[in-house]
Amino acid sequence: MTFKEFNKSLAEDGAEGELVKTVFVSLATSFVVLAILYIFKLKYIENFIPKYGFYLFFAILSYSLILPSIRHVRAYKELPCMAGMMIGMTMGMISGFLAGFFVASTNGMFIGSVFGMLVGIVFGVLTGKCCGIMGVMEGIMSGFMGGLMGGMTSIMLLNDNLKATGVIVFIISAVILIGLNYLIHKETREIERRHRDSNLFIISWSFALTVITVVLMVFGPRSSLFQ
Amino acid sequence: MNKSILYIIGTILIVLVAGTVLIKGNGDSGGNAIVGGSGGDVQKIVLGIKDYNYYPNTVTVKVNKPVSISLDSTVSGCYRSFTIRDFGINKYLKTPKDTVEFTPTKKGTYRFACSMGMGTGTLVVE
């Protein structure tokens, strides 16, 4: 099973064939929600785009890469133990880190870390449960670590190319998540698909994540450094 | 055309449009200052450390008059890397003789901090 074959499967029917569509649906939902919020509320906030635009853009891009992996894992429900642990750990760490990093960039370490930990733990558990308690534990631990690390990294880089680091962090996370999808594809060669999520699943998650991120960044509490 | 290719094209279009709209300007907007400005009466400020933070913690200066900030010998570690994000100031003040000089050109309240945000304080320009 080569990466070429995985690439080919992206254009076919089946769980892998839904990955690209999921990215599209998530991005479309998030940006439509953001546009609606902007028209009715956010455009009245001084310096909204210069202050929050960059971080919101990358937070939304991050969610659009995280959600397809969750849909991919849910399609098979049960995976071998080692693969499940790897999936729980990767999802918890990456989702926690990205969410924590971008929210901490506008709100400070406390709120960024708390949000990052929450997102990381929820997604870590959601995906890690495919192999039972070990995957769930791995998801909780990595979500907790990733959230804290994301918030901390952002604050430490506040006066040292924070935006450039945000782009680098996003690119590396994207590569890791694509690798994770390849891993899931490899590990499920002999497993039948057991679950089919509708697009509503992705729309709901994208909607919720975008709204919570916008509300936190713009109206949420922030540390003294950002007041 | 293959459905996947359509989704890929759609995704790229969304990212390009959203990116063009959202990524512009400088996020560090707020204050204005001429860094390194001098002439006229220089407002000299010396900051020390008290209770693990800069002291005095709130400094008031006059607008359009040069300000010179230095850190005394009680300040150590990352606290010597002095920043005022709103003014684009980020300088490592190695010794008490090193200074940060700028002229605030806009009234307001701004935060100063060390480069890691461990120590913070307020600069009031009036």
Side-chain angles (χ1 to χ4, degrees):
Chain A
M1 179 69 62
T2 60
F3 193 75
K4 235 180 184 177
E5 287 172 55
F6 168 65
N7 229 356
K8 215 173 148 190
S9 71
L10 293 177
E12 294 167 359
D13 285 335
E16 286 74 20
E18 289 173 355
L19 292 175
V20 180
K21 185 182 169 188
T22 308
V23 174
F24 175 78
V25 171
S26 172
L27 278 179
T29 308
S30 296
F31 284 122
V32 166
V33 169
L34 187 62
I36 293 169
L37 288 174
Y38 184 78
I39 290 165
F40 289 104
K41 182 81 184 167
L42 302 174
K43 72 174 174 185
Y44 302 110
I45 290 164
E46 196 187 355
N47 282 327
F48 171 74
I49 289 179
K51 239 174 159 177
Y52 305 105
F54 178 88
Y55 303 109
L56 266 175
F57 177 68
F58 276 96
I60 287 171
L61 283 192
S62 305
Y63 300 145
S64 75
L65 284 180
I66 292 163
L67 291 173
S69 301
I70 295 171
R71 191 176 191 174
H72 200 182
V73 179
R74 281 168 61 90
Y76 295 101
K77 289 268 183 192
E78 278 178 28
L79 277 101
C81 206
M82 284 299 285
M85 282 172 62
M86 190 67 201
I87 291 165
M89 187 180 76
T90 310
M91 285 304 294
M93 184 69 78
I94 297 294
S95 54
F97 191 97
L98 288 171
F101 185 92
F102 292 118
V103 171
S105 301
T106 58
N107 291 57
M109 188 170 158
F110 173 73
I111 196 76
S113 300
V114 171
F115 181 64
M117 282 190 282
L118 195 75
V119 171
I121 289 172
V122 168
F123 288 159
V125 170
L126 259 177
T127 48
K129 71 178 184 184
C130 67
C131 80
I133 185 65
M134 283 172 81
V136 170
M137 289 290 294
E138 197 80 56
I140 293 172
M141 286 187 292
S142 57
F144 158 68
M145 257 174 71
L148 272 179
M149 282 197 321
M152 194 167 63
T153 307
S154 158
I155 293 305
M156 289 172 81
L157 289 161
L158 210 52
N159 295 299
D160 189 9
N161 298 303
L162 176 63
K163 286 184 175 175
T165 312
V167 176
I168 293 166
V169 161
F170 172 76
I171 291 170
I172 293 171
S173 300
V175 171
I176 293 170
L177 288 172
I178 291 167
L180 181 73
N181 288 121
Y182 176 52
L183 178 140
I184 298 168
H185 178 63
K186 258 185 104 172
E187 291 292 328
T188 53
R189 272 177 299 179
E190 288 158 18
I191 303 174
E192 281 287 305
R193 183 176 187 163
R194 294 178 56 187
H195 181 75
R196 190 177 291 272
D197 278 314
S198 68
N199 283 334
L200 192 65
F201 174 79
I202 297 302
I203 292 171
S204 317
W205 271 109
S206 303
F207 176 84
L209 286 168
T210 306
V211 170
I212 294 170
T213 306
V214 169
V215 169
L216 269 184
M217 278 186 177
V218 182
F219 307 107
R222 50 195 75 228
S223 64
S224 62
L225 198 58
F226 292 84
Q227 276 160 3
Chain B
M1 200 188 292
N2 193 318
K3 256 186 181 179
S4 291
I5 294 173
L6 282 177
Y7 284 127
I8 291 171
I9 293 169
T11 304
I12 293 169
L13 278 177
I14 291 176
V15 171
L16 284 178
V17 172
T20 312
V21 174
L22 290 172
I23 303 177
K24 63 179 185 186
N26 182 0
D28 303 335
S29 59
N32 294 317
I34 302 163
V35 179
S38 58
D41 300 329
V42 177
Q43 306 172 82
K44 287 186 178 171
I45 296 155
V46 180
L47 297 174
I49 286 282
K50 193 177 178 186
D51 295 331
Y52 308 106
N53 207 352
Y54 290 115
Y55 181 84
N57 201 248
T58 302
V59 177
T60 304
V61 295
K62 288 197 167 62
V63 70
N64 290 325
K65 285 200 169 179
V67 176
S68 169
I69 299 178
S70 60
L71 307 173
D72 72 15
S73 56
T74 63
V75 182
S76 61
C78 81
Y79 287 74
R80 295 212 71 88
S81 183
F82 187 80
T83 70
I84 309 177
R85 292 189 79 211
D86 289 325
F87 294 164
I89 291 167
N90 183 11
K91 192 175 176 186
Y92 184 67
L93 304 173
K94 199 173 178 184
T95 68
K97 284 180 184 171
D98 295 319
T99 57
V100 163
E101 282 160 9
F102 61 97
T103 306
T105 56
K106 194 179 173 186
K107 289 180 182 179
T109 302
Y110 308 100
R111 302 292 296 185
F112 59 81
C114 76
S115 61
M116 283 175 66
M118 305 285 283
T120 61
T122 306
L123 179 76
V124 181
V125 180
E126 56 180 33

